[in-house]
Amino acid sequence: MKVQEVRQEICDNRGADSADLRDYEARKRSVAIRSSLLLGGIAIVMAIRSPLLGLDLAIGGGSGVINMLLIMHNNERLLDGRRSRGVYGMNNVVRVLGMGVLPAIAGITGPAWTLAVSYAGFFAPLVSYAILLRNADSRRGT
């Protein structure tokens, strides 16, 4: 079996269409605001019935929004060539350990199923962004 070395190139997004970059920034901002408002509202309603459960959702949702923005920031820096792959990988490990543990800590304060509520809030912004991106791509015809 022959192994061939291949040079991996990092894409430069500086040549990207400015309209695409504006759409990306608007989508990022929109998802962060919508997710925060939606999860905050649901957390308030849940807190009326169970204050701890509402707090778990709020902590999970807040961590999820921050996590989503950190993922995007890290990816942008990698694509701009301002971050090496090693630093990129290490940053992701630290982010996952730091941001992913907050909902877990919030979830273990009550019954086992509260962990699910906390992580639902954590992953809601990422799911929301994925759905919004899929809908934007289907409207564009790609």
Side-chain angles (χ1 to χ4, degrees), residues 77-95:
R77 295 204 51 181
L78 178 69
L79 291 174
D80 283 344
R82 295 182 289 163
R83 179 159 288 164
S84 70
R85 287 181 294 172
V87 172
Y88 172 79
M90 184 56 75
N91 192 304
N92 282 333
V93 169
V94 170
R95 178 188 46 78

Side-chain angles (χ1 to χ4, degrees), residues 27-44:
R27 201 170 25 250
K28 181 169 68 169
R29 198 173 25 259
S30 170
V31 168
I33 292 169
R34 285 184 196 177
S35 295
S36 298
L37 292 175
L38 178 67
L39 291 170
I42 294 171
I44 289 170

Side-chain angles (χ1 to χ4, degrees), residues 43-87:
I44 289 170
V45 170
M46 288 177 90
I48 293 170
R49 177 80 175 141
S50 170
L52 195 54
L53 197 56
L55 180 63
D56 288 343
L57 182 64
I59 290 171
S63 298
V65 169
I66 293 168
N67 181 55
M68 179 193 71
L69 294 173
L70 287 174
I71 289 170
M72 292 175 166
H73 179 71
N74 200 26
N75 290 343
E76 292 161 9
R77 295 204 51 181
L78 178 69
L79 291 174
D80 283 344
R82 295 182 289 163
R83 179 159 288 164
S84 70
R85 287 181 294 172
V87 172

